[in-house]
Amino acid sequence: PQDYALLQARGAVAQAYDCWGTPCAVLVTPDGHIGSRTAQGAAAIRALVKRAVAAAMQESIRTA
């Protein structure tokens, strides 16, 4: 998997992802859809990543 970051000169990316402030994150599914609510701030982003990892681990166990 690759990690991507979106940068902007104006507000187009912030508006598209409803992400106002720094740091801010959303999960994007492999097919390019927004897969989470916006997480704003370091603590919220850590929680978002923890939930995503936990969900991926559960799915991996379920399909094993």
Side-chain angles (χ1 to χ4, degrees), residues 14-55:
Q15 185 174 8
Y17 287 89
D18 193 26
C19 194
W20 305 96
T22 304
C24 181
V26 294
L27 296 179
V28 179
T29 64
D31 60 355
H33 292 94
I34 295 174
S36 73
R37 291 183 175 201
T38 302
Q40 293 188 332
I45 293 170
R46 275 193 291 277
L48 176 68
V49 171
K50 283 182 179 181
R51 285 192 307 272
V53 169

